[in-house]
Amino acid sequence: MSRFLAPLTRAVTYTRWLHLLVGAIIALVCGSVYPGLTRPGYGQWALMLLIPVPLLMAAAVIPVVRRAEGLQARLMLFPGAHARVEDGSGPREAGVSVAPSASWRDRGRTAVWLVLRLWAGCAVAFVTGQFMALALELVDATSGGPAEAESLIPVPGHGWAYALLVPVPPLVLVGVVALAGRLMASAALGLLGPSAAERLATLEERTEQLLERNRIARELHDSIGHALTVAVVQAGAARAAADPAFTDRALDAIEETGRTALEDLERVLLVLRESEQPASRRPTLTEADRLLDSARASGAEVDAEVLGALDTVPGPVSREGYRILQEALTNVLRHSGTVPIRVAVTVDDARLWLDVRNPLPVGAPVNGQSSGTGSGLRGIRERAALLGGRARTGPDEGQWRVHVELPLG
């Protein structure tokens, strides 16, 4: 019983009901001109269903009509999370396209939808009128008054017993309307659903969003991870040294590294908020000295060699190269401490090479540099692969080596 009465409590039942009734308006407008609405016969009702069809098919050729119908379907057939949708799966408005017609196939599907909406709307309008008329006749039969409404189902006689039947027509009507609305919603998903080109565009957009999120995650990992590693190493070294001058230098390095990390964090947050304010410029390899000085300030001995003009490296390659170098240095400080580091950056006409070496820790293997499976090393390999390059990380003749090769074109 509760399942039968459930459509009464669902907002979607009534929004779909209204959507169906609106579809019958054009038939009533055309019928008021010809053949007229004064006691029409069955033949005249048929004309009212057929006369608007050419007009609807002509309207379907206009691209924006598909968009208008899609918006109505989303609003009224799938009214959102606040409505209790019948199938229990929640709103499915994403299955209805709101893009204008882009092909004749879209126009044809729109034409079929408009005709279906016309006929379904007229049928629901007729059923609504009949069931409401029957309910009024039952009220008249209960009160003993003259029957003023006319329905196809006659009510014989009078009597108080008819009072028990008065709620039946409205309840049956709601059930019929709920079923019709559900069928209409399914038809909308088929006829107003996205075309193959729209589905492909949506898939590409989602793929781009996932790639962007992965890139942002790598940015945060590299930037914030580097800042925290430098801060921890600097603080530990300052405490062990117990030298005021060294402590001052350590605090300066922590401040500079923290400020850079905050700038990176602000830029990423601006991207995530989709703010109209342009995000800050991402650092490039021309600013690699900042990374090297930060590592030196942590107590590590850094021997750097740069061959070639860094300012000739294309922007995307230079930005990713900066992050790769940042993560490589962070990896050394995090897992090996303040050990000697050798950095080589080479640029020629076709490629960029980054090579970072440091002695392996003495004794038991250290997790990031022994296995090569840390998230930072994985990020280095992913960045290189996205640019069409290669990255090798692992032990090499008693040293830990990060070797990256990136194409410039």
Side-chain angles (χ1 to χ4, degrees), residues 143-192:
S143 61
E148 297 181 358
E150 295 183 0
S151 67
L152 297 179
I153 303 176
V155 178
H158 300 81
W160 287 102
Y162 286 111
L164 300 176
L165 298 178
V166 171
V168 175
L171 292 176
V172 175
L173 174 61
V174 171
V176 172
V177 167
L179 178 60
R182 189 168 186 173
L183 294 175
M184 201 65 180
S186 298
L189 294 175
L191 296 174
L192 297 180

Side-chain angles (χ1 to χ4, degrees), residues 228-239:
L228 292 177
T229 299
V230 169
V232 170
V233 173
Q234 290 279 9
R239 174 179 294 178

